[in-house]
Amino acid sequence: MNARSVSRLARLQQALAGGGTLHLRDAARLCGVSEMTIRRDIDASDGAMTLLGGRLVMADNPQFAPVYDLDRQQYSHAMTKRRLCERAAGFLADGDTLFVDCGTTLLPLVNLLASHERLTVVTYALNVANAVSLLPGVRLVLLGGLFHASSRSFGSDDMNAVIGRLGINRAFISAAGVHAQRGVSCFHFHEVAPKQAAIACAEQRLLVVDESKVGQIRPAYFAQLDDFDVVITDGDMTLPQADGGPRIVAA
Amino acid sequence: MNARSVSRLARLQQALAGGGTLHLRDAARLCGVSEMTIRRDIDASDGAMTLLGGRLVMADNPQFAPVYDLDRQQYSHAMTKRRLCERAAGFLADGDTLFVDCGTTLLPLVNLLASHERLTVVTYALNVANAVSLLPGVRLVLLGGLFHASSRSFGSDDMNAVIGRLGINRAFISAAGVHAQRGVSCFHFHEVAPKQAAIACAEQRLLVVDESKVGQIRPAYFAQLDDFDVVITDGDMTLPQADGGPRIVAA
DNA sequence: CATTCAATGTTATATTTTTAACATTGTGCG
DNA sequence: CGCACAATGTTAAAAATATAACATTGAATG
């Protein structure tokens, strides 16, 4: 690698310093050489930059890394969640205003909304909001606030009041732990307020949890099992189906 | 676009939510359909995702925007925005609480934040929030409310009050029109409240607009030019640099 | 000045990606 | 049921990108 080659690489790296991509054609014109020379520069270099479909990118940028780490175990979990959500979607009605909780459990539910009319989705989860924002016919209300990376959701002091002002008629709640005596819990304390507010306001309350959550107790308690009208699960809910308790739906 | 198509897109978007790329082949296998179907899904969608050399990426991720393209005028716009944002980033200081406006103009700014410490970003734009949520060292406050697909941002009645409670010291505002007499305007009325609130509260107000906006008048007026401390533009701002007026910075 | 050789350019060929066309499947409906 | 039509699959062709081979340039050197 010669001095001119190094100088070209530096120039290109400079162009890409703030992120972004540079087409090979433009890189070549920027340096006043042929595309082949740029290719050879990249090949001979330390690998700081690479070509991705004809575009020059910084190789260490994680944005360009393939996400395909969806191994079998994760996939089967996804299948379970999808099945649970298909059951959950059976409770939907046209014109509903839904509360959709954070986490990955309820994400497949978003995909099933398109078959209903005039839906409004209320959520405090960024991933849910992103998914709903793609649906043309569904109104989206995002409860904002400070972002919590751990749950990819938002929290704020007045969330309780804001949720109270919305006419939520169906709340889909997820949880990290469900225990017959110790109730329903999650990992993060910032999730407690929105969950409780939604449970308090909604006409119908549905808990959606896969088997792995049943029998668990997590740090942040947020509800008793009887606070729910319906529990949708594939787990072994050997609860006394007694008076006042939720209706258990197996998926 | 049918329900299954929407469901596949949502699924793929979920896979890409944390950034990264997904090869068309893997996207097809993930959804259990052919590559052609994925291509058609993406064509029919609103452009949230695009293919880049056979890889699926989130289109609004500024990391995938070309930094330089000599041919297509569309990309020269992207380059201009990047340059504007590089200038804008020069005003940042450690510990800042920033307001970042919606649209694509300020998106490249997010990637320039990493070099500063203890930043907080306040925004009402979904694309800005997504970009910031990926930065480990930056706090994110999203101003929630009803989602407006036209600007991919949120609006609510109490946005004014919420912004007032935050200690914003630098507001980066974008606009669709800047006119010497008729002031600064945008397309959508729902953007007016958050913009005005941010202008009212911030210690320093920076307007970032490319040349194409200068001289234009858009439906929703939201500020006079003197309401800003700094205007960053590549356009022909032949304003009297008089007393009280903003400082014009050319990029 | 001719020779050498690295650097670069040019052209050809292979591979991959994109687009287009047509075949097949499946779903809703009279 | 059987038709119509949308959704998807399959295949072929076109365009773009990657690799390889060979040609040209130009500076260094004896």
Side-chain angles (χ1 to χ4, degrees), chain A residues 12 14-23 25-27 29-30 51-55 57 61-70 75 78-79 82 104 107-108 110-112 114-115 120 126-127 129-136 138-149 152 154 158 162 165, chain B residues 1-3 6-11 13-23 26 29-30 46 48-49 51-55 57 61-72 75 82 86 108 111-112 120 126 129-130 133-134 139-149 152 154 158 162 165:
Chain A
L12 294 174
Q14 171 87 9
L16 294 176
T21 68
L22 190 62
H23 199 280
R25 180 195 322 125
D26 302 318
R29 284 162 80 170
L30 199 64
L51 279 168
L52 192 143
R55 287 156 191 91
V57 303
N61 189 331
Q63 290 293 324
F64 300 109
V67 294
Y68 192 69
D69 43 320
L70 308 131
Y75 187 76
M79 279 326 251
R82 170 180 286 264
T104 56
L107 263 171
V110 175
N111 309 343
L112 303 167
S115 44
T120 302
L126 183 57
N127 53 354
N130 275 316
V132 175
S133 79
L134 292 178
L135 303 177
V138 181
R139 289 208 300 175
L140 164 65
V141 175
L142 178 54
L143 306 163
L146 182 64
F147 181 68
H148 296 275
R152 297 197 68 71
F154 299 93
D158 52 42
V162 176
R165 282 204 296 277
Chain B
M1 200 168 52
N2 64 62
V6 169
S7 131
R8 283 192 299 267
L9 285 168
R11 189 168 184 182
Q13 206 195 4
Q14 184 196 334
L16 293 177
T21 68
L22 190 62
H23 199 281
D26 301 321
R29 274 203 285 185
L30 197 64
D46 60 355
M49 289 178 283
L51 280 167
L52 194 142
R55 287 159 191 87
V57 304
N61 187 331
Q63 290 294 329
F64 300 110
V67 291
Y68 197 74
D69 192 311
L70 300 164
D71 295 336
R72 292 175 211 170
Y75 290 145
R82 185 172 297 270
E86 273 162 16
N111 291 101
L112 302 166
T120 302
L126 184 57
N130 276 315
S133 79
L134 297 176
R139 288 208 300 175
L140 165 64
V141 175
L142 178 54
L143 306 163
L146 182 64
F147 181 69
H148 296 274
R152 295 196 69 71
F154 299 94
D158 52 45
V162 176
R165 283 203 296 277

Side-chain angles (χ1 to χ4, degrees), chain B:
Chain B
M1 200 168 52
N2 64 62
R4 263 175 292 179
S5 176
V6 169
S7 131
R8 283 192 299 267
L9 285 168
R11 189 168 184 182
L12 294 173
Q13 206 195 4
Q14 184 196 334
L16 293 177
T21 68
L22 190 62
H23 199 281
L24 190 59
R25 180 192 322 122
D26 301 321
R29 274 203 285 185
L30 197 64
C31 296
V33 294
S34 69
E35 296 185 11
M36 199 62 229
T37 298
I38 301 289
R39 279 184 190 279
R40 284 194 268 242
D41 287 346
I42 289 160
D43 282 354
S45 79
D46 60 355
M49 289 178 283
T50 42
L51 280 167
L52 194 142
R55 287 159 191 87
L56 203 57
V57 304
M58 291 305 296
D60 60 3
N61 187 331
Q63 290 294 329
F64 300 110
V67 291
Y68 197 74
D69 192 311
L70 300 164
D71 295 336
R72 292 175 211 170
Q73 209 239 338
Q74 166 194 13
Y75 290 145
S76 98
H77 263 246
M79 183 183 83
T80 302
K81 285 170 180 169
R82 185 172 297 270
R83 229 178 32 247
L84 292 175
C85 284
E86 273 162 16
R87 277 317 200 94
F91 288 87
L92 292 172
D94 287 0
D96 268 356
T97 297
L98 314 168
F99 178 89
V100 178
D101 209 348
C102 67
T104 56
T105 301
L106 291 167
L107 220 41
L109 182 64
V110 174
N111 291 101
L112 302 166
L113 299 180
S115 45
H116 291 270
E117 313 255 307
R118 302 184 315 285
L119 294 181
T120 302
V121 170
V122 179
T123 188
Y124 64 111
L126 184 57
N127 53 354
V128 173
N130 276 315
V132 175
S133 79
L134 297 176
L135 302 177
V138 181
R139 288 208 300 175
L140 165 64
V141 175
L142 178 54
L143 306 163
L146 182 64
F147 181 69
H148 296 274
S150 57
S151 58
R152 295 196 69 71
S153 68
F154 299 94
S156 79
D157 293 338
D158 52 45
M159 194 158 274
N160 210 304
V162 176
I163 291 175
R165 283 203 296 277
L166 296 162
I168 294 170
N169 50 3
R170 240 172 284 282
F172 292 93
I173 307 286
S174 60
V178 180
H179 193 275
Q181 283 78 51
R182 304 286 294 280
V184 191
S185 53
C186 59
F187 281 111
H188 309 289
F189 289 96
H190 61 258
E191 298 175 30
V192 171
K195 282 176 201 279
Q196 286 186 340
I199 291 167
C201 300
E203 198 182 327
Q204 187 180 40
R205 294 152 273 242
L206 303 99
L207 179 66
V208 184
V209 280
D210 64 72
E211 186 177 26
S212 69
K213 318 290 170 56
V214 177
Q216 301 287 328
I217 302 169
R218 301 300 182 194
Y221 164 87
F222 64 89
Q224 277 302 327
L225 213 39
D226 330 348
D227 293 335
F228 293 92
D229 302 297
V230 181
V231 176
I232 299 171
T233 184
D234 61 331
D236 204 18
M237 290 297 263
T238 51
L239 289 170
Q241 276 281 46
D243 39 296
R247 169 181 163 205
I248 311 284
V249 175

Side-chain angles (χ1 to χ4, degrees), chain A:
Chain A
M1 202 167 51
N2 64 66
R4 263 175 291 179
S5 176
V6 169
S7 118
R8 281 194 299 267
L9 285 168
R11 189 170 184 180
L12 294 174
Q13 203 155 343
Q14 171 87 9
L16 294 176
T21 68
L22 190 62
H23 199 280
L24 190 59
R25 180 195 322 125
D26 302 318
R29 284 162 80 170
L30 199 64
C31 296
V33 294
S34 71
E35 297 185 11
M36 198 63 230
T37 298
I38 301 290
R39 280 185 190 278
R40 284 193 269 241
D41 286 347
I42 304 292
D43 281 354
S45 79
D46 57 359
M49 289 179 282
T50 39
L51 279 168
L52 192 143
R55 287 156 191 91
L56 204 57
V57 303
M58 294 303 295
D60 59 1
N61 189 331
Q63 290 293 324
F64 300 109
V67 294
Y68 192 69
D69 43 320
L70 308 131
D71 53 283
R72 281 177 305 281
Q73 207 228 343
Q74 217 175 345
Y75 187 76
S76 92
H77 261 245
M79 279 326 251
T80 303
K81 284 168 180 170
R82 170 180 286 264
R83 229 174 34 246
L84 292 176
C85 284
E86 274 163 13
R87 277 318 199 95
F91 289 86
L92 292 172
D94 287 0
D96 269 356
T97 297
L98 313 169
F99 177 90
V100 179
D101 208 350
C102 68
T104 56
T105 301
L106 291 167
L107 263 171
L109 181 64
V110 175
N111 309 343
L112 303 167
L113 298 181
S115 44
H116 290 270
E117 313 255 308
R118 303 184 315 284
L119 294 181
T120 302
V121 170
V122 179
T123 188
Y124 64 112
L126 183 57
N127 53 354
V128 173
N130 275 316
V132 175
S133 79
L134 292 178
L135 303 177
V138 181
R139 289 208 300 175
L140 164 65
V141 175
L142 178 54
L143 306 163
L146 182 64
F147 181 68
H148 296 275
S150 57
S151 57
R152 297 197 68 71
S153 69
F154 299 93
S156 79
D157 293 338
D158 52 42
M159 193 157 275
N160 210 304
V162 176
I163 291 176
R165 282 204 296 277
L166 296 162
I168 294 170
N169 50 3
R170 241 173 283 282
F172 293 93
I173 306 288
S174 61
V178 180
H179 193 275
Q181 284 77 51
R182 304 287 294 281
V184 190
S185 53
C186 59
F187 281 110
H188 308 289
F189 289 96
H190 61 258
E191 299 176 30
V192 172
K195 282 177 200 278
Q196 287 185 338
I199 291 167
C201 299
E203 199 182 328
Q204 187 181 42
R205 294 154 273 241
L206 303 98
L207 179 66
V208 183
V209 281
D210 64 70
E211 185 177 28
S212 70
K213 318 291 171 58
V214 177
Q216 301 287 327
I217 301 169
R218 300 301 182 193
Y221 164 87
F222 65 87
Q224 277 301 328
L225 212 39
D226 325 349
D227 293 334
F228 293 93
D229 303 296
V230 181
V231 177
I232 299 170
T233 183
D234 61 330
D236 205 18
M237 291 296 264
T238 51
L239 289 169
Q241 275 285 46
D243 40 298
R247 169 180 160 205
I248 312 284
V249 175

